[in-house]
Amino acid sequence: VKHHVSAAAGSGPGEADLAVVALVGRPNVGKSTFLARASGRFVETANAPGTTVLAERRAVTIDGQAAWLVDLPGTRSLADQPAGCEPFWTFLDAAQPDAILVLVDAGDLGRHLPLALACRDLGLPIVVAANLSDEAERRGIEVDAGRLSQLLVAPVHHTNGRTGHGVRAATRDAIRLAQQRRSVRRGERLPHATQPAPIYPPSLEHDLQLEARQLIGIRSLGASAVDPSGIGALVARGVVSPRGGASLARTADLDATRRALATRWAAQVERLRATRRPLADRLADLVTSPWSGLPIFAAVTVATFLALVLVGGGLATALSAAWSAGVSPVLASVVGAVVPVPALARAVLWALDGGLLAMVSVGIPYILTFYVLLAALEDSGYLTSAAVLLDRLFNALGLPGRAAVPLLAAAGCNVPAIYGTRILGSRRARILGSFLVTLTPCSARTAVVVAALAPFAGPLVAFAAFGVALAITLGAGLAANALIPGRQPAMVLELSPLRMPVPRHVVAKAWNRFRGFVVTAAPIMLIGSFVLGLVWESGAWSPLAAALAPVTTGWLGLPPIVGIAIVFAFLRKELALQLLVALAVIEYGAVGANLGSILTPAQLFVFAIVTTVSIPCAATLATLVQELGARVAAGISAASLGLALVAGGVIARVLGAA
Amino acid sequence: LTIHAATLSSRKWADRAPAGWLLARAFIGEGRASASWSDDELIAASTRDFAVTLGLRGTPVLTRVARYRHAMPHYTVGHLDRVAAASVALAETPQVVLAGGAYRGVGLPDCIAQGRAAAARLAQRLGGTADPNGPEPPAGGDASETTLRELPVGTVASVAAIAPKHVRELAVEGVGPGTEVAVLGRAPLGGPLVVRAGRARIAVPRGISEGVTVRTSSEPPA
């Protein structure tokens, strides 16, 4: 995986030459809030779907001094290597920073300072922001910034991203140092003669010097064969100093020493005061203890689902009523006037009226609502904290416990759920999670199953169909986990503290993701509906049904027209049943309006299962392509189609329908 | 006065001098006499000070001068902070403990006490028990070792050792020898342990928790 850094803002003249400040910090230290404060924009383009950007940069000007601020992903060490990715320092190579702004938790310096030390070792100027100072204050911890800055030989600022306190001052310092280094590199200014005094034991410093000399040697050789890690190249390009490169190569040796130093320094600069434990900490204990945590998790999960159903459902009804009252008649008359051929006009209306209505009545109510809920849950820190209790359950499927959230969302709509798999971390977990998401019946498919089975076979049978679908999903998940290589061993995970989400941040995050969804799904819904309209209005479906007959009738034991309904469910899942009824009326006459008279309950059951399990709808497929690439999307689609056909055929034989 | 302190040794302990004679010992620190003073100069200064303070007249029949250059540490302001920091730093290497006049008291009783405490701590870390006749180990009488996995919920312990293959993974989460840990809960179905480590909460898979040896300083609450 190659990491790219791209310009988020338009790159005007001169911007290419700006100094670069990289933002580095452990996860949950509040970097995105800090960045929002520093740049004055609560826009999270880094997480917006549709971009391959993993690190975002923004031009920031403070007191007339401008620089790029590059937001790097949260990391625990510069050599951190998430599954399937290159080590963290490759981001530095991409960003080419002139200075590093290190965010540390003022309330837990012992754990955060080692990263600051690692950044300092790179040979780049650093500024340390002792962030989350409000949380530290509540825990009775006060940091002597002056003393810490003497120890680090670097500016240290108290900052609070939530209120913005200290953010500008810290950023200004970082920009100043970055500009200085940049002019040194361009030769406009002499480098500082003073080097910070060595802080490690002499033997370690000696090892670092030896390593540094080797790295300089690699530079002169210029061969990649002797530099497999790429650190030599990093040094050669001047991104880090030779000693900085050596410190990257020797991370494992330095870790313990840095940790010991950090513990000692933390003890020297912290002033502790007895306080009552903050409410957030006491809540966090409740949330992660199994006895209280599991019921709370169940409650939050159900509440999320209910909020989605109630708010989403209410909005959906209101919006579709408004659409049919206000927009549909206008569209009908306009399209009728503009398009001369009546059949074509009707096909266009399928797209503009039906397709857009589907967007409006699904996208805004369900998806936007879900994004707001998800962003709030993410920012509160609750998710990673609580879901750890479910880890074991989901581990069997190759997923971490927090997979519960996207899978739940999938019951509403698969598209946001696939974006939601971003919280799963590794690519493997995302693929497995997305596969399960596509197998989870969304609200549209649930409606099809209920409407096809409940009236003709009884509600119990409809219920049984969901049981069968669930069994298929679990079985497929277990099999996929066993088949896809690269099983991740269980890892030590930091649980985020609980904090109140910043509303502006939540809204910005949700809105950006929603925009991404609209950009992806809207064209597909329009085109899909148009194609559906064309096939329908032109009568082209009849030969298609004949072509599909060997599978539909021979294997699944269903009348040929059902094949058409299943195939076109790819374009619009929620229309599968209406299509089937309409086709039945054409094929069998008025009697076809009652599905129970042309299909046996067993055949309806097969239809329901195949519709539910088979290929995800077009919008879901597009999301898969966008998020995981065409190959994975094709693989998931093929797997679910195969699964649907096998399951359908087997069920047909068991029930005696074929 | 030149001398720092004096001991009338034959008054303090029997048999230090024949009956009718006195053995007196004087201590002179480097601050008051130069290291370049000759033995005679030191003896003269001591005799004079004994005369001034105790009224001891006459010339000693026997004198001995012993010079211990740089032998006694002179603690400066902030000494205890530095000693604490050194102990924290050494938590990384449990096989090394500090003892001696440079740390917590220069007097013999202080040094002996430090030596005994250090020996007891090492004996404990090596898996044996402290000498039953020795003093109580400083960390509390009933310290015991177990793995993080076995640590009862709510009991505070400190990390004693970590299996080599997990050292790095735990180090990036800020956990190493000496870190204070407590198990907050265990996820059901053999899921990870939720652990408070220092000021953070982390989830530790059970497999890894088996490789973490912890030491409790007191018995868990019943």
Side-chain angles (χ1 to χ4, degrees):
Chain A
V1 180
K2 197 75 197 157
H3 307 300
H4 298 283
V5 175
S6 85
S11 43
E15 285 189 341
D17 207 32
L18 288 183
V20 177
V21 175
L23 224 57
V24 173
R26 290 178 67 96
N28 300 317
V29 76
K31 271 190 317 105
S32 52
T33 313
F34 187 96
L35 181 70
R37 284 289 173 194
S39 64
R41 277 191 298 148
F42 274 81
V43 179
E44 188 214 36
T45 45
N47 273 350
T51 52
T52 53
V53 181
L54 286 174
E56 189 209 353
R57 66 180 200 171
R58 288 185 198 167
V60 172
T61 307
I62 292 180
D63 297 344
Q65 302 300 308
W68 286 113
L69 220 56
V70 182
D71 184 20
L72 299 181
T75 189
R76 303 171 306 169
S77 97
L78 293 182
D80 242 20
Q81 194 159 6
C85 296
E86 288 179 15
F88 178 82
W89 52 259
T90 54
F91 282 107
L92 293 177
D93 198 9
Q96 307 255 336
D98 299 295
I100 297 180
L101 182 49
V102 192
L103 263 69
V104 298
D105 182 349
D108 200 357
L109 288 178
R111 248 157 40 86
H112 285 250
L113 280 182
L115 186 61
L117 286 171
C119 291
R120 179 189 187 272
D121 287 341
L122 292 176
L124 293 166
I126 66 166
V127 172
V128 173
N131 200 34
L132 303 172
S133 52
D134 52 340
E135 286 180 15
E137 165 72 18
R138 280 198 289 278
R139 295 195 172 95
I141 299 164
E142 193 195 322
V143 172
D144 183 342
R147 196 162 175 195
L148 184 57
S149 95
Q150 283 178 344
L151 291 167
L152 281 166
V153 200
V156 176
H157 292 265
H158 288 288
T159 60
N160 180 356
R162 297 176 73 93
T163 61
H165 169 79
V167 170
R168 280 174 63 88
T171 312
R172 187 192 302 125
D173 252 6
I175 291 176
R176 179 175 56 81
L177 292 175
Q179 286 176 340
Q180 271 174 19
R181 180 167 188 271
R182 176 148 286 231
S183 49
V184 166
R185 284 179 74 182
R186 278 195 309 235
E188 291 167 9
R189 208 197 275 240
L190 286 174
H192 283 289
T194 49
Q195 283 284 318
I199 47 174
Y200 301 127
S203 61
L204 205 50
E205 293 284 354
H206 180 70
D207 285 355
L208 284 177
Q209 275 171 19
L210 286 183
E211 186 81 39
R213 244 172 265 157
Q214 275 186 6
L215 286 169
I216 297 172
I218 288 172
R219 165 161 52 178
S220 59
L221 284 173
S224 62
V226 290
D227 183 30
S229 63
I231 293 175
L234 204 64
V235 173
R237 280 196 293 279
V239 179
V240 299
S241 70
R243 186 179 181 278
S247 75
L248 286 174
R250 291 297 183 99
T251 301
D253 301 340
L254 287 166
D255 267 352
T257 312
R258 286 190 187 129
R259 202 179 73 80
L261 207 56
T263 312
R264 204 160 77 213
W265 286 3
Q268 286 180 37
V269 301
E270 282 174 353
R271 302 276 172 280
L272 304 182
R273 168 171 59 78
T275 47
R276 189 174 150 74
R277 287 188 69 210
L279 181 65
D281 287 9
R282 280 176 280 147
L283 269 180
D285 282 358
L286 279 182
V287 158
T288 42
S289 148
W291 296 114
S292 46
L294 283 174
I296 294 176
F297 190 77
V300 170
T301 309
V302 169
T304 308
F305 189 68
L306 283 181
L308 200 56
V309 169
L310 292 179
V311 176
L315 274 174
T317 315
L319 285 172
S320 51
W323 182 277
S324 16
V327 183
S328 286
V330 179
L331 274 176
S333 55
V334 169
V335 171
V338 172
V339 184
V341 188
L344 191 63
R346 284 199 295 276
V348 170
L349 270 184
W350 272 74
L352 288 185
D353 195 14
L356 282 182
L357 172 61
M359 278 297 297
V360 169
S361 63
V362 174
I364 295 175
Y366 290 104
I367 297 176
L368 187 56
T369 308
F370 174 70
Y371 282 163
V372 171
L373 292 170
L374 184 67
L377 279 176
E378 275 177 11
D379 282 12
S380 71
Y382 174 75
L383 276 186
T384 52
S385 211
V388 82
L389 294 176
L390 293 174
D391 240 25
R392 198 66 189 175
L393 211 61
F394 283 92
N395 280 173
L397 301 168
L399 299 171
R402 45 189 192 284
V405 176
L407 285 176
L408 186 79
C413 176
N414 286 354
V415 173
I418 288 166
Y419 290 134
T421 61
R422 281 160 182 257
I423 64 172
L424 301 185
S426 80
R427 182 169 164 81
R428 181 179 191 271
R430 287 202 65 191
I431 292 173
L432 287 169
S434 300
F435 180 45
L436 291 189
V437 161
T438 60
L439 291 178
T440 306
C442 62
S443 54
R445 284 182 273 173
T446 305
V448 170
V449 172
V450 171
L453 290 178
F456 310 111
L460 271 181
V461 177
F463 205 70
F466 286 114
V468 170
L470 183 67
I472 292 173
T473 306
L474 285 179
L478 288 172
N481 184 34
L483 290 175
I484 299 180
R487 196 173 231 294
Q488 271 276 305
M491 297 208 322
V492 178
L493 182 79
E494 180 183 343
L495 304 180
S496 37
L498 298 186
R499 42 180 82 119
M500 194 58 90
V502 181
R504 274 172 74 189
H505 209 230
V506 167
V507 169
K509 210 170 183 177
W511 179 249
N512 274 293
R513 291 178 183 176
F514 180 66
R515 224 172 40 190
F517 162 73
V518 170
V519 169
T520 313
I524 291 164
M525 291 293 255
L526 288 177
I527 294 167
S529 303
F530 181 65
V531 171
L532 201 57
L534 274 185
V535 172
W536 183 256
E537 300 295 342
S538 66
W541 55 269
S542 188
L544 202 60
L548 288 170
V551 175
T552 320
T553 313
W555 172 245
L556 296 173
L558 299 171
I561 50 159
V562 182
I564 290 292
I566 290 172
V567 167
F568 282 101
F570 167 67
L571 295 171
R572 299 274 298 276
K573 285 274 180 190
E574 79 282 9
L575 289 186
L577 202 65
Q578 283 103 302
L579 267 179
L580 183 59
V581 172
L583 287 165
V585 171
I586 295 173
E587 189 79 8
Y588 300 98
V591 69
N594 179 4
L595 279 183
S597 63
I598 58 159
L599 292 173
T600 64
Q603 284 177 321
L604 281 168
F605 197 87
V606 173
F607 165 73
I609 292 296
V610 174
T611 308
T612 305
V613 177
S614 77
I615 292 195
C617 72
T620 306
L621 187 63
T623 315
L624 283 173
V625 171
Q626 182 196 322
E627 288 288 294
L628 298 167
R631 268 187 54 210
V632 172
I636 288 179
S637 306
S640 49
L641 179 62
L643 207 56
L645 289 178
V646 170
V650 168
I651 291 168
R653 272 150 192 80
V654 170
L655 296 178
Chain B
L1 289 181
T2 307
I3 65 172
H4 267 164
T7 311
L8 299 181
S9 302
S10 57
R11 296 290 296 267
K12 198 169 177 182
W13 294 289
D15 304 327
R16 293 291 163 109
W21 299 87
L22 178 75
L23 175 64
R25 188 168 56 169
F27 300 84
I28 300 178
E30 263 187 70
R32 307 209 181 164
S34 164
S36 63
W37 283 20
S38 70
D39 283 5
D40 288 344
E41 282 170 312
L42 289 172
I43 292 167
S46 304
T47 314
R48 191 173 56 240
D49 284 357
F50 276 124
V52 170
T53 53
L54 298 175
L56 295 178
R57 309 275 172 213
T59 317
V61 294
L62 175 83
T63 53
R64 290 283 185 277
V65 175
R67 295 171 188 266
Y68 302 102
R69 301 280 298 276
H70 304 300
M72 194 190 296
H74 292 250
Y75 302 155
T76 51
V77 173
H79 174 73
L80 284 176
D81 285 347
R82 288 189 290 276
V83 171
S87 311
V88 169
L90 274 174
E92 302 283 332
T93 48
Q95 56 277 57
V96 178
V97 295
L98 293 179
Y103 307 106
R104 297 181 184 275
V106 293
L108 275 180
D110 291 328
C111 289
I112 292 169
Q114 290 181 62
R116 285 202 167 148
R121 214 171 310 159
L122 280 178
Q124 237 176 38
R125 288 176 182 176
L126 293 172
T129 49
D131 175 11
N133 299 320
E136 294 275 299
D142 38 8
S144 61
E145 280 193 358
T146 177
T147 63
L148 184 58
R149 179 172 183 155
E150 304 297 327
L151 189 66
V153 170
T155 306
V156 177
S158 82
V159 174
I162 298 174
K165 60 177 173 178
H166 301 312
V167 165
R168 229 185 100 55
E169 185 168 6
L170 285 161
V172 290
E173 290 303 346
V175 179
T179 307
E180 194 170 86
V181 292
V183 176
L184 297 176
R186 291 179 163 77
L189 305 169
L193 269 63
V194 178
V195 176
R196 191 204 316 287
R199 292 181 191 142
R201 290 174 312 137
I202 56 175
V204 183
R206 298 219 178 172
I208 295 180
S209 70
E210 275 168 5
V212 180
T213 311
V214 298
R215 189 167 37 240
T216 53
S217 54
S218 59
E219 285 300 305

